[in-house]
């Protein structure tokens, strides 16, 4: 699967969508349902293993890794649904779900549920989905509404610089009825287990960070390969023999390894707590989110460094280095790994009052 994804990455970037073959491979491999319960055909993957799997897929192609990340992260909702609803949404082994959590949908009370109208952005992978999640504000607070794809209209708005094949378009529903059983707001736990005990709102942040690190790892890999074959203009030998390139490559590898180690250590610690049934404190959740934002920021910087080392070669469409740079920069712009999380961590660490409900 990874070799197929690599082979088709450039075309996917050009076409602004993953090929049907890549989508089918992701679905067949279970990459879109990694966090769903095994009882519903999901992978029920532990979070440390999920981080490794997502990074590996993003190393093959950022857009493919992102698609696997957002769909498998959304598949974790199966843990919070009533059994009959979970079976309805996830009963088919090829069912794919994604969406947008921001509670921008407007609701009108209806017998047995709500009628929902709204338009959401950042709908990564929504065109691939059988079911789509959209956040809405109800009189009882925010809810994630689950719509069948037939209720959803996708607008072709994702004309972005990077992660172009994620199809993160705007999408909408108009007066769609959502029964109460397809409305959920974690952590309303339905099924016991360590995965639903993990901080829910950290799933996406961890996934975005893993994608970013995979993209950065690919950029280091590409510049290593380039350095031994390219002789720069006016150079006396291969790029690999130049001290600046050697130093920059060492710096990139060190920063990548450090960011990866920080993220994986924090994920492992929070996962161990979830397995033990120990709730994570606000300080612990803040540190996990710090590791996520740090990974994304470092990935953006590392891909820029690799791009610079590549020189003129990097600017051509034939070079994966330009795609890595664009993809990493877009990933780092995601709100879940915003640089504001550095401020949030500082406030929590220093005892300054701040909202920690979404950590």
């Amino acid at each position: 699967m990874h070799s197929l994804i690599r082979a088709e990455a450039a075309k996917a970037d050009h076409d602004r969508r993953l090929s049907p073959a890549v989508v089918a491979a992701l679905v067949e491999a279970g990459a879109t349902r990694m966090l769903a319960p095994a009882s519903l055909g999901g992978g029920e993957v532990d979070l440390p293993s999920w981080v490794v799997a997502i990074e590996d897929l993003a190393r093959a192609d950022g857009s493919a890794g992102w698609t696997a990340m957002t769909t498998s992260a959304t598949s974790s909702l199966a843990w919070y649904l009533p059994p009959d609803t979970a079976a309805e949404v996830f009963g088919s082994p090829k069912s794919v779900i994604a969406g947008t959590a921001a509670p921008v949908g407007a609701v009108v009370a209806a017998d047995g549920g709500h009628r929902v109208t709204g338009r959401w952005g950042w709908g990564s992978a929504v065109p691939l989905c059988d079911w789509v999640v959209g956040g809405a504000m109800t009189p009882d607070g925010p809810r994630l509404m689950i719509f069948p794809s037939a209720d959803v209209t996708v607008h072709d708005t994702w004309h972005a610089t990077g992660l172009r094949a994620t199809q993160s378009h705007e999408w909408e529903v108009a007066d769609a009825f959502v029964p109460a059983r397809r409305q959920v707001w974690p952590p309303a736990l339905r099924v016991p287990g360590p995965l639903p005990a993990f901080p829910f709102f950290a799933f996406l942040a961890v996934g975005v960070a893993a994608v970013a690190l995979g993209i950065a790892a690919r950029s280091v890999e590409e510049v290593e390969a380039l350095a031994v074959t390219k002789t720069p203009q006016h150079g006396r030998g291969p790029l690999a023999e130049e001290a600046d390139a050697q130093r920059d490559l060492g710096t990139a590898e060190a920063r990548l390894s450090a960011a990866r180690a920080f993220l994986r250590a924090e994920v492992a610690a929070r996962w161990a707590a979830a397995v033990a049934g120990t709730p994570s404190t606000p300080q612990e959740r803040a540190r996990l989110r710090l590791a996520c934002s740090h990974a994304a920021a470092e990935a953006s910087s590392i891909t820029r460094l690799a791009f610079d080392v590549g020189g003129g070669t990097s600017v051509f469409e034939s070079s994966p280095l330009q795609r890595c740079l664009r993809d990493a920069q877009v990933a780092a712009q995601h709100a879940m790994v915003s640089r504001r999380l550095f401020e949030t961590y500082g406030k929590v660490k220093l005892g300054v009052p701040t909202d920690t409900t979404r950590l």
Side-chain angles (χ1 to χ4, degrees):
M1 177 176 66
H2 290 73
S3 59
L4 172 66
I5 291 171
R6 279 185 180 242
E8 301 215 2
K11 187 175 188 302
D13 183 75
H14 177 271
D15 294 346
R16 297 190 304 121
R17 64 179 182 86
L18 300 179
S19 72
V22 167
V23 173
L26 291 171
V27 173
E28 290 291 338
T32 58
R33 296 161 63 98
M34 283 189 275
L35 299 187
S39 61
L40 292 169
E44 202 168 321
V45 174
D46 63 87
L47 264 293
S49 297
W50 185 63
V51 168
V52 174
I54 293 298
E55 182 179 331
D56 286 347
L57 285 166
R59 187 168 184 162
D61 173 44
S63 287
W66 188 276
T67 298
M69 178 275 294
T70 192
T71 53
S72 59
T74 311
S75 77
S76 67
L77 284 177
W79 293 91
Y80 304 93
L81 294 169
D84 58 337
T85 306
E88 177 188 15
V89 175
F90 295 95
S92 168
K94 295 185 178 181
S95 179
V96 177
I97 185 170
T100 310
V104 300
V107 304
V108 175
D111 186 25
H114 292 90
R115 305 202 73 86
V116 185
T117 298
R119 180 162 175 159
W120 293 259
W122 306 93
S124 300
V126 165
L128 310 178
C129 289
D130 302 285
W131 296 88
V132 181
V133 175
M137 188 61 70
T138 75
D140 297 320
R143 294 291 185 270
L144 298 179
M145 304 290 185
I146 302 177
F147 308 98
S149 60
D151 287 350
V152 173
T153 300
V154 176
H155 301 279
D156 186 2
T157 57
W158 186 245
H159 297 269
T161 57
L163 296 174
R164 288 167 50 83
T166 60
Q167 296 186 276
S168 302
H169 303 300
E170 293 181 9
W171 60 277
E172 70 174 323
V173 298
D175 196 36
F177 176 69
V178 183
R181 61 186 178 79
R182 280 200 268 113
Q183 303 179 24
V184 62
W185 189 252
L189 179 60
R190 292 285 181 177
V191 181
L195 193 121
F198 195 87
F200 178 80
F201 293 108
F203 282 150
L204 186 56
V206 168
V208 171
V211 170
L213 290 176
I215 296 166
R218 176 65 179 275
S219 73
V220 173
E221 173 190 328
E222 290 294 335
V223 85
E224 285 177 352
L226 180 65
V228 298
T229 59
K230 175 180 178 175
T231 297
Q233 190 174 19
H234 308 303
R236 296 182 177 180
L239 181 61
E241 296 179 1
E242 295 190 0
D244 284 347
Q246 295 163 356
R247 184 165 47 249
D248 287 343
L249 180 60
T251 298
E253 182 62 39
R255 292 174 65 181
L256 173 63
S257 298
R260 179 189 287 132
F262 184 21
L263 177 66
R264 292 187 180 182
E266 291 306 311
V267 171
R270 294 304 95 235
W271 180 253
V275 170
T278 305
S280 296
T281 66
Q283 292 80 7
E284 291 167 338
R285 298 198 305 274
R287 185 172 172 83
L288 173 63
R289 296 297 296 276
L290 176 68
C292 295
S293 293
H294 174 71
E298 283 290 86
S300 180
S301 181
I302 290 163
T303 56
R304 178 73 217 195
L305 182 58
F307 179 89
D308 289 345
V309 173
T313 303
S314 302
V315 307
F316 292 96
E317 289 184 349
S318 58
S319 172
L321 287 168
Q322 52 79 27
R323 190 170 65 249
C324 289
L325 176 63
R326 292 186 287 106
D327 286 353
Q329 288 181 327
V330 170
Q333 295 295 99
H334 198 283
M336 295 302 288
V337 292
S338 166
R339 291 178 182 269
R340 289 191 297 272
L341 272 298
F342 287 84
E343 178 185 347
T344 299
Y345 175 79
K347 287 180 176 179
V348 172
K349 185 72 172 179
L350 296 171
V352 177
T354 188
D355 182 11
T356 62
T357 59
R358 299 295 293 271
L359 288 177

